Amino acid sequence: LLEKSFEYGEHKGLALIKGEIRPIKEVIPDDYKIPHIGWNALKFHKESPLFKYIKEGDCVYFVHSFYGANCNESVIASAEYGADLTASVQSGKVFGCQFHPEKSGNVGLNILRAFCQMESK
């Protein structure tokens, strides 16, 4: 979704959202495990219809080695893993989640429910 990715080389992205995908090893402490696997609390940055049925501090499940960087204007949520990492972005009707809603229990189901209820106008 972003302009560029450094996942296994340097690649052009779809550029639907400003920013790039970078390795988390660039910003987290050396003693943190990669990939990051586990539950982390969401910290909201902006209101979003994606979070209609959840609250700040709800936990979602991550399995990742990369994060969205230089995309601050689109960040709607982040999560702490040795650094404040982008958890979710939104630009208009384009949404992206670094975490796995489908593996995030009731919180993830509520995110998917909110997404499915959005109007396509």
Side-chain angles (χ1 to χ4, degrees):
L1 296 177
L2 280 65
E3 298 168 299
K4 186 187 294 187
S5 174
F6 292 92
E7 217 171 331
Y8 310 108
E10 185 176 332
H11 308 282
K12 185 177 176 180
L14 295 174
L16 298 173
I17 295 176
K18 291 181 183 180
E20 54 196 30
I21 303 300
R22 302 203 60 90
I24 63 174
K25 70 180 177 182
E26 296 176 351
V27 295
I28 65 170
D30 290 337
D31 60 338
Y32 276 58
K33 293 182 181 181
I34 299 174
H36 164 222
I37 300 173
W39 295 87
N40 286 84
L42 290 176
K43 176 179 147 189
F44 294 161
H45 290 248
K46 297 177 184 172
E47 260 188 59
S48 172
L50 197 62
F51 304 142
K52 178 179 179 178
Y53 299 114
I54 68 168
K55 63 187 182 313
E56 185 170 61
D58 280 348
C59 291
V60 292
Y61 191 73
F62 288 84
V63 179
H64 69 121
S65 302
F66 297 85
Y67 76 105
N70 305 315
C71 55
N72 292 344
E73 66 187 48
S74 300
V75 175
I76 56 174
S78 63
E80 177 69 29
Y81 185 67
D84 196 37
L85 300 176
T86 301
S88 190
V89 292
Q90 176 185 349
S91 180
K93 295 286 184 177
V94 176
F95 298 86
C97 294
Q98 184 64 54
F99 57 90
H100 291 267
E102 77 283 3
K103 295 183 179 195
S104 297
N106 287 333
V107 172
L109 287 173
N110 281 325
I111 291 169
L112 293 172
R113 177 168 60 129
F115 182 78
C116 290
Q117 290 176 351
M118 286 183 209
E119 294 183 26
S120 60
K121 296 177 187 175

